[in-house]
Every structure is written in C-alpha cells, then in structure tokens.
Amino acid sequence: MKRFQGIIYALLSSASFGMIPMFAVPALRGGMNTTSVLFYRMAFSAVLMGIFVLMRRADMRLTRRQLFTIIGLSVFYMASSLFLLESYLYLPSGIATTIHFLYPVFVTMLMVSLFHEKLSGMMMVAIVMAVGGVYLLSSGNSGGSVSMFGIGIVLITVVAYGSYIVGVKQTCASRVDGPAMTFYVLLFTAIQCGINVLLHGEGLQPIPGFRIGLDLVLLALIPTLVSNLFLILAIHKVGSTITAVLGCMEPLTAVGVGVLFLGEEVRGLQYLGIVIILTAVALVILGNRKKAV
C-alpha cells in the first residue's frame, strides 16, 4: 500500500508540474521577466505552504545538520527552476523539455554508482521508453534553431533537479516531516530568488494586473507547492529512481495543457509518444506490484 501511494504521489507531482506553461506563459507574455516571475512563484508558494503547515501543526523542528542540508537542496531546486525557465529563451520548448527529461537517467546513474541501487530489467526498459516517449511527444513542437548555449543551460537543470531528487531521499533531510520540508525548501528558494532579483539590478517588477496576479498565485499553488509536496512524499515512499521515471507525466500534461488552453495541436508522432509514456508508467506500476507480493 505504501508503494502504491508513492506511485500516485509521483504521478500527481509530475502531472501538476507540467502545468507550469499554463500559468507562467501569460505572465511572461505580459512583459514580466523570468527573475520576477520566479520570485513571485516561490514567495507565494512559501506563504501558502506556511499557512498549511501551521494549520496542520506539523513538526517544524530541524537539527543544524538538517537545516544546512535543506538549504543546500533548495539551491539545487532554485537552479533547476531558474535555468529551465531561462532555457525557453534560447531553445524551442520541445527540445528543452526533451533534454530536461534526461534527469531520470542522471538520478539512476547516481543511485547505482553512489548508493549501489539494483535495477530490474523492467525498470531499465521503463526508463528507456519514458525518455523515448518524451522525445516523440516533443517532436511536434521543436521547430527553430538549436542554441548550444541553450543546451548547456538546460543540462544544468538535469544535474540540479536530479541531485535534488536524490538528496531528498539520501540525506538527513529524509527524516524531516514532508510538509515541513516542503515549506523550508520553498522558503529558502524564495530567499535565493529574491537575492537573484537584486543581483540582476532590474528590481522586482510589479504585478501588471489582477489576471496575471491570479496566474502567479496559481503558478505558486499547483505546479510548485502541490508538485513539490507530492514529490517529497513520493520520494519518501518509493525512492528517487521510481519517482524520477514517473516524472514522464510532466511533459504529457504540458502537451495536454497546450492543446486545451493554448491552441496547440497533437500530431502523429506525439500520439505514439503518449502511448509509449503510458506504457512506461504501466511497467513501473506492474514492477512495484510484483515487489509488493
């Protein structure tokens, strides 16, 4: 039951994370820069999560070691969020999404090489299928030139996000209550985003209007707070590798959002990518059912 809950949490995390374009794109199109959007996203989510943990009366105690570990993890989380957003300025979103989804491979490499995790043949097949499915899913939205600088930026997100996922499970932070850890990660990330705004010298842009303000609040709530909370809960229950592989629901959701809300179309190869991704998810679920028996 614990492993099944973890799989559900991982799917909810990646699916909600894939809704970023739905709320971030209107703010960027409204003239806001990436540093301001990212600060509002993290600051609003930290406030909302703070209210939640207070109402829940979560255990907020940290040891000094846990405090500095979570600060370190928030650096990885902030880097992945910032550079992924920046990569969209240099790469077509389909290419950026495909490269970013190499992070399950990086997670697997870390878990096998550093923590001696053993992978089943079914899990290896699921990883290959997930990456291949994301490639096909992004094929219909990958027009435009390829910038080597943009590729370098998005590769940073692979290392940063993969390191964050592994760190949540393999460090002393794993013993911190899930909602409490989510709050601290979001809080420290918001502080770093604020510092980043100051370093850019442009200052924090005011929110242009109510509609964009609502989009920023929803950006903070759904693909940030909800996604990160379920991510941490999933890692605690099923580990880093399975959680990373199930992140394939992220680009699937992004495509769905594009079709339903942004007027985009799904083409032949993308349908094949959807089938492959769903098959990869089924393999992960089946593999874990066998372990539970």
Side-chain angles (χ1 to χ4, degrees), residues 206-264:
I207 299 174
F210 174 79
R211 176 62 189 178
I212 291 181
L214 180 60
D215 284 329
L216 291 173
V217 171
L218 293 174
L219 178 65
L221 177 62
I222 300 174
T224 309
L225 187 158
V226 171
S227 177
N228 202 47
L229 175 59
F230 282 132
L231 177 74
I232 290 173
L233 294 176
I235 293 171
H236 284 174
K237 289 183 179 295
V238 294
S240 304
T241 303
I242 293 174
T243 302
V245 174
L246 292 176
C248 58
M249 290 299 293
E250 170 194 328
L252 188 60
T253 305
V255 169
V257 167
V259 171
L260 294 175
F261 300 101
L262 301 178
E264 298 177 357

Side-chain angles (χ1 to χ4, degrees), residues 45-58:
S45 62
V47 171
L48 292 171
M49 194 66 209
I51 295 173
F52 176 77
V53 294
L54 286 176
M55 293 177 61
R56 186 176 177 270
R57 297 182 180 180

